[in-house]
Each structure stands twice: as C-alpha cells, then as structure tokens.
Amino acid sequence: MRELPELSVHHADPSTFPPGIAYMDGQYLPIGEAKISVLDYGFLHSDATYDVAHVWKGAFFRLEDHLERFFSGLEKLHMTIPYDRAQVAEILHNCVALSGLQNSYVEFICTRGMSPTFSRDPREAINRFIAFAIPFGSVANSEQMEQGLHAAVTPIVRIPPESVDPTVKNYHWLDLVSGLYVAYDQGADTAILVDTSGNISEGPGFNIFCVTDGKISTPKLGVLKGITRQTVFDICREMQIECVAEDVPPTKLKRADEVFVTSTAGGVMPVTKIDAAPVGSGSPGSITRRITESYWRMHEDTQNRMVVEYPAMA
Ligand SMILES: *Cc1c(COP(=O)(O)O)cnc(C)c1O
C-alpha cells in the first residue's frame, strides 16, 4: 500500500474528553470506546430518537417522564429495543454509577441501526440502543446564567410538525444549527426559530417562555414538549401564576417584561437581550428568578428523585 501522507489531527480526542460511561451491545464502556458503524441509519439519515435526563447531586430528576417520552417516540417511529422501561432505567443508573458523576447529562438513543443486507427498507433494520452519562452540561454558561442570554430571532423556520413530529425528540438539527450561525453573525449567543406562521417556536435544545404583565406564555405548536417546560407549568400552578401554551408572535416576545428558556441542559435560563434590544430592564427578571429557584428546590422532593447508588470507592 502506498504510504499515506501524515495528517494533522483536527478532531478532539474522544478517549480523554469528556469523561463518562456508555452502554452498548450489552457492555459498559468508557465513553471514548463507544462507537457505531458509519452505515447506521441513525448517522446516515438522522433516523433516530433520543432523550436526555439529568442527575443532580446524585439523583435523577423526573426520570419517569423522560422514559415515557422516549418509549412513546420509539412507538411513533416503529422502533423496538430489547429492554423495557425498568431495564432502561437500570442501564442509565449503571452508566451514572460507574461514571461516578454526581451531576450528569444522561443521554439514551435508539437508532434505526442497519439491515444485515444494507437494504433501504427501514423495517429490515436492527434497531440499536445506546446510553451514556457525561458531566452535566448547560445551554448557558455561568456568566450567561447571571447576566442572561442574548438571543436572536432568526427568519429560519423550524421543521414543521407536518414534516417531522416535534414531540419525538430527534436529531433534525440543521435548522437549529443554521440558526446559531445567523445568531453568531449578529453577536448573539443563541438562536430562536419561528414556525410556518411566523410565530416563535424553539431554539437549539430549549423551549421559550415570555412574561407579560405577570402572565406567562410559551409556544404551543411545533415544539418538543420539554420536561423542563412541563416543570415550569407545574411550578406556575403552584405559585398561582398564569402560564399558557399559545401562539407567541415575535413582537410579543420582544415587548415582554421577561424572557427565559428551558432545557434539561441548564434548567431555567434568563434571556435579557433579543436582537439589538434589552428585554424589560435588561437583567434577569424576578419571576424568572423565582421559577429558577423553585426548579432547583424541586430537585430535593423525593417524588422527583431516583437516587443513584455509586459503587464504594476502592
Ligand atoms: C430536548 C429539547 C428541548 C428541551 O426539552 P427538555 O425535556 O426540557 O430537556 C426543547 N427543544 C428541543 C428541540 C429539544 O431537543
């Protein structure tokens, strides 16, 4: 064989970053060793569904809700895995326990997989389940949590629900990633996409809320039903703050007193600037702060927690 020229390495080394544990094919592995075939349709066609739960101070938060959403996604995509809910919960638990991470981002995925004959018929593919636990990550860094995010409302339309069911958590992210580049060009931190009617939809991995005269609104259609979004509904009910899912035009968002976004990756995060203008006073608002505090307090409730039992240190 002809000798190949030496290549400079441009990819991050997955064997050293980030730390974590994955599960695939019946085995627990260091995250850097968990690899799939390039022929997997999850990779080639984004033919996959997934979920992300988190562990905070050694316990999963609302894991049942994540399992429910994941299994309902499998059904809608005609996928099957050889594990039931309790077994998936056990696998996720084991990934976290073996990783030793007290605060963890726990992703579980089902890809279409590949068919033994590389047939193009998705019914012939053998679906693949993968799970992993890595350190907890956030949409907003600590400075952005303090000061608030700067978001750009982009003209990019989120894939409509008539094309891809948004309630099935999926990797159709090119619209979201394109939005990020539009946002970066404007000096913003993140992007907000619109729906086919021009109303606000969602951003890269988060749902959007605005507070106007003490009332909260969040887009109703064409968005993933976030578990954090649901948690905000629950918190608002408890605090007796009106919170409704409805159409949110960009003008409403821009004139709002407060704006915040929600994701398992970070929780409740303030937005203090949209396009070129400050939101309200330009600093995180009091309702956003109260909801954020309540969100983290809910992590202490035993009914929301599944405690991780870590192996004793050697
Ligand atoms: C995961 C995700 C969210 C947030 O959902 P959570 O369950 O709160 O993490 C919002 N939008 C999209 C597109 C997502 O993938």
Side-chain angles (χ1 to χ4, degrees):
M1 206 170 87
R2 193 166 59 90
E3 209 163 294
L4 294 167
E6 212 167 289
L7 297 171
S8 56
V9 176
H10 286 293
H11 56 80
D13 181 356
S15 63
T16 56
F17 182 83
I21 295 291
Y23 173 87
M24 59 191 293
D25 299 330
Q27 277 187 303
Y28 294 92
L29 305 159
I31 186 81
E33 288 173 25
K35 293 170 182 167
I36 63 159
S37 166
V38 293
L39 298 181
D40 190 304
Y41 284 122
F43 174 65
L44 292 178
H45 293 173
S46 285
D47 188 348
T49 186
Y50 75 111
D51 216 290
V52 177
H54 73 281
V55 165
W56 191 251
K57 294 185 180 166
F60 280 92
F61 181 65
R62 297 189 77 151
L63 182 59
E64 280 305 319
D65 295 327
H66 291 278
L67 292 169
E68 170 72 31
R69 185 170 67 183
F70 181 68
F71 275 88
S72 111
L74 291 181
E75 205 172 305
K76 288 178 185 161
L77 297 183
H78 308 273
M79 289 176 175
T80 51
I81 56 171
Y83 313 109
D84 64 17
R85 257 174 231 225
Q87 287 168 315
V88 169
E90 191 185 334
I91 290 167
L92 301 179
H93 173 276
N94 292 345
C95 286
V96 176
L98 291 168
S99 77
L101 295 163
Q102 296 288 321
N103 300 320
S104 178
Y105 178 101
V106 187
E107 182 152 344
F108 41 121
I109 306 161
C110 183
T111 71
R112 187 68 62 191
M114 49 191 278
S115 76
T117 58
F118 203 56
S119 137
R120 301 184 74 85
D121 184 336
R123 293 170 301 184
E124 288 172 15
I126 298 164
N127 303 156
R128 173 180 277 289
F129 176 81
I130 305 167
F132 61 83
I134 56 174
F136 184 75
S138 173
V139 169
N141 62 33
S142 55
E143 196 199 319
Q144 292 164 340
M145 288 302 278
E146 276 302 310
Q147 312 287 322
L149 288 155
H150 174 194
V153 176
T154 73
I156 296 176
V157 176
R158 180 72 176 128
I159 297 181
E162 293 80 5
S163 303
V164 174
D165 181 347
T167 67
V168 178
K169 201 167 163 73
N170 65 70
Y171 293 125
H172 287 66
W173 269 59
L174 289 187
D175 50 356
L176 298 168
V177 173
S178 303
L180 280 176
Y181 279 93
V182 171
Y184 297 154
D185 274 348
Q186 296 174 22
D189 304 315
T190 194
I192 291 173
L193 274 64
V194 292
D195 66 18
T196 45
S197 313
N199 293 313
I200 298 301
S201 66
E202 59 187 347
F206 56 76
N207 293 113
I208 301 163
F209 291 77
C210 64
V211 186
T212 309
D213 300 328
K215 285 189 203 155
I216 305 187
S217 310
T218 191
K220 181 184 179 128
L221 300 171
V223 296
L224 178 82
K225 300 234 161 64
I227 307 298
T228 324
R229 177 180 182 269
Q230 182 56 48
T231 306
V232 168
F233 284 130
D234 297 346
I235 289 168
C236 287
R237 195 178 324 109
E238 191 135 309
M239 289 183 163
Q240 300 188 332
I241 299 171
E242 195 181 325
C243 183
V244 286
E246 60 185 356
D247 285 345
V248 179
T251 47
K252 182 176 171 110
L253 193 75
K254 291 182 191 186
R255 287 194 206 118
D257 303 317
E258 301 180 30
V259 172
F260 60 88
V261 297
T262 64
S263 171
T264 294
V268 180
M269 298 162 278
V271 174
T272 50
K273 190 174 173 189
I274 295 179
D275 295 339
V279 176
S281 67
S283 47
S286 60
I287 292 184
T288 304
R289 279 195 199 282
R290 281 169 61 206
I291 292 173
T292 308
E293 282 162 15
S294 182
Y295 173 76
W296 290 106
R297 230 182 298 118
M298 275 178 82
H299 285 62
E300 320 276 317
D301 287 355
T302 46
Q303 60 179 19
N304 298 323
R305 286 161 63 85
M306 186 186 97
V307 176
V308 177
E309 303 204 3
Y310 296 89
M313 293 295 262

